[in-house]
Amino acid sequence: MTAARESADPAAKVIPIESAPSWCGPDPDARPGLADRIADGVGTALAGQLGATATRVLGKDWEQRAANGLGFLRRRLTGDYEVDDFGFDRELTEEVFLALLRPLAEKYFRIEVRGTEHIPAEGGVLIVANHSGTIPLDALMTQVAVHDHADRHLRMLAADLVFVLPVVNELARKAGHTLACNEDAQALLERGEVVGVWPEGFKGIGKPFADRYKLQRFGRGGFVASALRAGVPIVPCSIVGAEETYPMIGNFKTLARLLGLPYVPITPTFPWLGPLGAIPLPTKWTIQFGEPIPTDSYPKDAAEDPMLVFNLTDQVRETIQHTLYKLLVQRRSVFG
C-alpha cells in the first residue's frame, strides 16, 4: 500500500494508509477469515432459493454481478487495494462514486457530451472549464463524462474549503482530487494524468442568476503556468445547463459570514421548501470539450513570462465564453 497525504497542504506530513479498516480486527491474519466468512455466507444464500428469485428479478447476469460485488467486498475487508500518494482509490471511484453519479448524469440531466476526441488517450492534459450552479455538480458531471466517454480519470483541483469539511475531505481524496495549487497540478500533469480546473472558483458557482453564462475572472493564470512547465495541452471545456440547476436569486451574506462560507444561496426553492429545496432542477446539459491548445512548443522558462501566461489564460477564457454563446444559441430549451 502506498502513502496518502494527511491534508491539502503540499508540504503536509505523509502518513501511511492502513491496509484495512480498523474495525476488521486487531489481528491482520483474522481479516481474510472474516472476509471469507462474509463472502461464503452471501454466496450460500444466493445459491439457494434466493438465487432463483434473483434470476427472475435481476436477470441471468446477476451471478456475474454478485461475484463482482463479493470480490469488491473481499478486497475492501482484506485491504487488497491500492491508493496513490494523493489518496486516489481507483477501484472505489469506479465501483461506487461513479456508479452513484452516472444515473444523475445520464437520466436526470441527460448530458450530451461532445468533443471527447480532443482529450488525448494518454499523457498529461489540463481541462479548464466554466463553473456555475451554486453547488459544484458541474465538476462531478465532468468527471463522469471524462471517464465514460474518454476512458480516463479526471483529477480535479478543488478549493481549500473542500479539504476542511469532514467526510467531504476524505471522499474527495479517495476520488483522486487535490488542492488547487500549482505544485499538485504540476505533479499530476507530469505523471500523465488528466487534471481538471475551474478557475472561476466560488465567484463562478456563487454568481447571481442574472449573470449566468458570463465568465468571471480566471485569476492569475496559475493553471496555465503549470501546463507550460509540464508541457501538456490545455483543453477548454464549456458546460451549459448547470447554471439553471439552482438559480441563485439572493444570498444570506450575514449567515454566510457566521458559518465561514463564501455564500448561503437563496433560490426559488431554497429555503422555502426545506430539504426539498436542495433537489436540483432537471435541466438538460451539454458538455463540450474544445480543441487542445498545445504548450510543448514554448521554451522551458515560458511559465516565468507573465505576459505569455496572461495571453494564454485569456485565450482559454475567450474560447470557453464563445463556445458557451454558441451552445446557448443551439439550445432549444432549458429542460429539453
Side-chain angles (χ1 to χ4, degrees), residues 180-205:
C181 66
N182 293 342
E183 292 81 2
D184 283 9
Q186 187 174 343
L188 287 169
L189 290 171
E190 289 177 347
R191 290 184 186 190
E193 301 284 358
V194 181
V195 176
V197 62
W198 284 258
E200 295 173 277
F202 290 118
K203 299 189 303 293
I205 58 174

Side-chain angles (χ1 to χ4, degrees), residues 129-139 198 200-207 211-215 239-246 263 285 324:
N130 60 300
H131 215 9
S132 64
T134 305
I135 294 178
L137 294 175
D138 52 358
W198 284 258
E200 295 173 277
F202 290 118
K203 299 189 303 293
I205 58 174
K207 63 179 177 287
D211 294 334
R212 61 193 179 278
Y213 299 114
K214 297 177 183 177
L215 293 186
I239 305 169
V240 165
E243 292 276 17
E244 296 88 1
T245 53
Y246 296 101
Y263 55 84
W285 287 33
L324 287 174

Side-chain angles (χ1 to χ4, degrees), residues 44-326:
T44 300
L46 292 176
Q49 184 59 37
L50 182 58
T53 303
T55 301
R56 291 194 300 271
V57 175
L58 302 177
K60 294 181 180 180
D61 64 339
W62 74 268
E63 293 185 50
Q64 184 59 50
R65 285 183 284 157
N68 292 340
L70 289 172
F72 174 79
L73 177 62
R74 186 190 300 272
R75 289 189 293 276
R76 290 289 119 184
L77 292 175
T78 60
D80 185 20
Y81 58 91
E82 296 181 354
V83 298
D84 68 12
D85 54 355
F86 282 87
F88 177 42
D89 187 329
R90 181 181 297 270
E91 183 182 50
L92 186 66
T93 298
E94 293 178 349
E95 300 296 331
V96 179
F97 297 157
L98 292 175
L100 292 173
L101 292 172
R102 192 168 291 116
L104 189 63
E106 295 179 353
K107 305 298 183 183
Y108 196 77
F109 294 131
R110 296 147 291 142
I111 298 177
E112 179 184 355
V113 181
R114 305 176 184 177
T116 49
E117 68 274 9
H118 297 310
I119 301 175
E122 58 184 20
V125 57
L126 182 67
I127 294 178
V128 183
N130 60 300
H131 215 9
S132 64
T134 305
I135 294 178
L137 294 175
D138 52 358
L140 297 176
M141 296 300 101
T142 305
Q143 182 181 9
V144 176
V146 170
H147 179 270
D148 290 359
H149 295 268
D151 196 26
R152 301 197 65 181
H153 281 283
L154 180 65
R155 310 291 294 270
M156 292 188 279
L157 304 179
D160 301 29
L161 179 62
V162 171
F163 298 102
V164 298
L165 295 174
V167 181
V168 174
N169 170 30
E170 293 299 321
L171 292 177
R173 286 290 181 188
K174 290 290 187 182
H177 313 316
T178 188
L179 184 68
C181 66
N182 293 342
E183 292 81 2
D184 283 9
Q186 187 174 343
L188 287 169
L189 290 171
E190 289 177 347
R191 290 184 186 190
E193 301 284 358
V194 181
V195 176
V197 62
W198 284 258
E200 295 173 277
F202 290 118
K203 299 189 303 293
I205 58 174
K207 63 179 177 287
F209 187 64
D211 294 334
R212 61 193 179 278
Y213 299 114
K214 297 177 183 177
L215 293 186
Q216 307 300 298
R217 287 185 62 252
F218 267 22
R220 300 177 182 177
F223 65 92
V224 167
S226 296
L228 284 167
R229 292 189 183 98
V232 302
I234 301 172
V235 173
C237 176
S238 304
I239 305 169
V240 165
E243 292 276 17
E244 296 88 1
T245 53
Y246 296 101
M248 186 166 165
I249 58 176
N251 180 11
F252 291 111
K253 294 182 179 180
T254 302
L255 180 59
R257 283 195 295 270
L258 289 173
L259 296 176
L261 298 174
Y263 55 84
V264 174
I266 301 173
T267 74
T269 58
F270 182 84
W272 328 114
L273 299 183
L276 291 177
I279 299 175
L281 297 177
T283 56
K284 175 71 169 65
W285 287 33
T286 299
I287 298 179
Q288 178 160 325
F289 299 95
E291 294 186 8
I293 300 171
T295 66
D296 55 356
S297 61
Y298 294 100
K300 292 184 178 180
D301 59 350
E304 312 308 320
D305 183 345
M307 186 56 66
L308 174 61
V309 171
F310 174 81
N311 289 336
L312 280 175
T313 302
D314 193 54
Q315 180 183 351
V316 174
R317 185 180 181 279
E318 287 301 310
T319 299
I320 296 172
Q321 184 68 82
H322 287 312
T323 304
L324 287 174
Y325 289 148
K326 290 179 181 178

